């Protein structure tokens, strides 16, 4: 299962979230409700295209999912006062920030692509993100899609992250399926987006939401944890233990822990 929930753990020193639910400390989500668990629960659906003969590379799928979340958050349909997705995004952000990644191929992908949403393409990956839906109100074209089977590999080592661009660092101590990791990368990107000011968001958008996803070594991870950067902490609904730190968003505009 690849759903995730993000909530504010109340850590004053660093923006943080427990995967799938609230704004990081110091960067509240617009219209945040006082009690996120009492609010109606919504989920952000993401669908990754996985054809049998040409599955995407794992890291590219993670990076593409993270960019897809940012594309939706910045889309006028989700930000304009009268945008068709604005209320759904507000409702989603008033509760726990859940994301669920499902997979599709062939006719399944074509049916999913016909629904309102945005498809983001990487080097090998295609990810479609949809406006949030009620937790128990998925469109029939998406509810039938599988959440398992998203175990992807990188055919070659990815090398160092792109210099000067944000990096979403994965924990070296938490093992996740590709689908779970895609949701976590999306959380990390969202926390960084919330923490940026208007100029920082505009600059990132103009750069096409350039970013890298890499797994930190333990020395770097320890340094990142103390750097005051946005941290994703998982709520423990699926795959991993509650409170696990999974992703740290190292965006140059938020300070950096890079060597």
């Amino acid at each position: 299962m690849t759903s995730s929930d993000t909530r504010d753990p109340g850590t004053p020193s660093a923006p943080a979230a427990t995967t799938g639910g609230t704004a990081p400390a110091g960067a509240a989500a617009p219209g945040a409700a006082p009690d996120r668990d009492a609010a109606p629960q919504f989920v952000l659906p993401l669908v990754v295209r996985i054809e049998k003969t040409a599955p995407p590379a794992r890291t590219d799928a993670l990076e593409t999912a993270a960019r897809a979340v940012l594309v939706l958050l910045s889309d006028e349909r989700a930000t304009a006062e009268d945008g068709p997705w604005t209320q759904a995004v507000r409702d989603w952000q008033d509760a726990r920030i859940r994301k669920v990644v499902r997979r599709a191929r062939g006719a399944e992908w074509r049916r999913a692509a016909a629904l309102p949403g945005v498809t983001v393409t990487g080097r090998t990956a295609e990810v479609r993100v949809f406006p949030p839906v009620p937790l128990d109100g998925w469109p029939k074209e998406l509810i039938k899609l599988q959440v398992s089977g998203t175990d992807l590999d990188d055919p070659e080592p990815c090398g160092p992250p792109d210099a000067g661009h944000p990096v979403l660092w994965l924990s070296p101590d938490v093992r996740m399926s590709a689908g779970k990791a895609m949701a976590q990368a999306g959380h990390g990107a969202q926390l960084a987006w919330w923490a940026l000011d208007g100029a920082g968001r505009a600059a990132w958008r103009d750069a096409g939401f350039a970013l890298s996803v890499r797994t930190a070594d333990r020395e770097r991870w320890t340094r990142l944890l103390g750097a005051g950067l946005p941290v994703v902490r998982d709520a423990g609904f699926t795959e991993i233990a509650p409170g696990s730190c999974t992703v740290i968003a190292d965006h140059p505009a938020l300070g950096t822990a890079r060597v």
Side-chain angles (χ1 to χ4, degrees), residues 46-66:
L46 298 104
V47 175
V48 56
R49 184 177 186 179
I50 303 181
E51 300 289 349
K52 289 183 178 180
T53 57
R58 179 186 175 98
T59 296
D60 189 42
L62 269 60
E63 292 173 346
T64 305

Side-chain angles (χ1 to χ4, degrees), residues 46-49 64-65 67-69 71-72 75 77 85 109-110 112-122 125-130:
L46 298 104
V47 175
V48 56
R49 184 177 186 179
T64 305
R67 289 193 294 113
V69 171
V71 167
L72 181 130
D75 194 294
R77 288 169 289 183
W85 301 346
W109 174 259
R110 291 190 292 273
L115 296 176
V118 182
T119 297
V120 177
T121 302
E126 288 182 80
V127 176
R128 189 162 180 86
V129 60
F130 304 86

